[in-house]
Amino acid sequence: MKASFDFSGAHVVVFGGTSGINLGIAEGFARAGASVCVASRDAGRVDAAVARLRGLGAAAEGAACDVRDAAAVEAAMGRFHDAFGAIDVLVSGAAGNFPAPAAGMSPNAFRAVVEIDLLGTYHVCRAGFARLRRPGASVITISAPQGQVAMALQSHVCAAKAGVDLLTRTLALEWGPLGIRVNAIVPGPIAGTEGMARLAPTPQMRARVDRSVPLGRQGRAEEIAAAALFLASDAASYVSGALLAVDGGWLAAGVPLGLGEAAPAVPPAGPGG
Ligand code: COA
């Protein structure tokens, strides 16, 4: 997809930006002329992503850090600010997911996803705040349909992403007066991502997902990147507090089957069972 927006001279930071949708977003901004910094947990993936972004002609830096660690996020954000100055676009996309029944996963499993998705988004936005260009900066969080519709085997993700949605809208209220816009992208099922591999691991499951999308197919990472470029651009200068579904109509259809079919719901016998 050809870049339709010019981000020459802009500084973009993408947490989670070393794979999948978030790497697609980082590449979209790199192609549009921005300098791009990426962070994720795996140092090898960080190095590979930085090399890819430089291969696209972008000035790029990376940092390995876990978004659950507020101090590590603060340190990475400081390095990114030192490298290219004030941040024009901040994307918070690090996420964790696996299908598991609410009563059948450990408290630590539930906590892991809430800490990565919700607390991680808070840590990234909080550390970014002091370094955002104002007025003019754009913050984009990456949510999921699970924030708006219940999905079996996804209680941890539903709880975390619903939190991300209202955190996003609350930051839009608090930071709007400073000229900072805050929006969420709500990606539908995106082909080739770790999330799809985990939630719909067989070709049959993925075919069923395709049939549940009004547009009849999974999305591409570059289609999410296009939405991020739009939200960060002047074309979206009056858009803040929005939850932008980029899902082929999936949410409008009510996510009819959900991805809950990916694994059988077999809660362990509890005190009552
Ligand atoms: N079903 C049930 N519980 C699971 C699980 C699964 N498929 N996978 C992990 N867990 C549990 C672990 O058993 C552990 O709980 P315990 O300590 O009580 O045993 C807890 O979750 C944390 O797992 P751990 O592997 O120690 O955490 P981590 O920080 O290394 O990994 C995850 C975080 C669990 C979210 C992991 O799935 C991950 O790293 N995901 C990142 C990539 C990803 O999910 N991308 C898709 C985004 S849409």
Side-chain angles (χ1 to χ4, degrees), residues 38-84:
V38 290
S40 76
R41 266 194 294 174
D42 186 307
R45 281 187 175 182
V46 170
D47 291 344
V50 168
R52 268 177 88 116
L53 295 167
R54 289 180 180 160
L56 294 173
E61 297 293 338
C65 84
D66 190 326
V67 292
R68 289 172 284 194
D69 182 343
V73 171
E74 171 70 21
M77 202 74 77
R79 283 208 300 281
F80 294 160
H81 181 262
D82 290 348
F84 299 119

Side-chain angles (χ1 to χ4, degrees), residues 19 21 41 45 66 68 93-101 104-113 116-117 144 146 154 156-157 161 193-196 198-199:
S19 65
I21 288 172
R41 266 194 294 174
R45 281 187 175 182
D66 190 326
R68 289 172 284 194
N97 197 354
F98 49 81
M105 75 177 98
S106 71
N108 196 41
F110 193 94
R111 182 186 304 116
V113 169
I116 295 169
D117 292 25
Q146 289 93 321
Q154 291 282 276
H156 45 337
V157 178
K161 293 298 194 182
T193 59
E194 192 173 339
M196 277 305 293
R198 284 169 180 247
L199 297 175

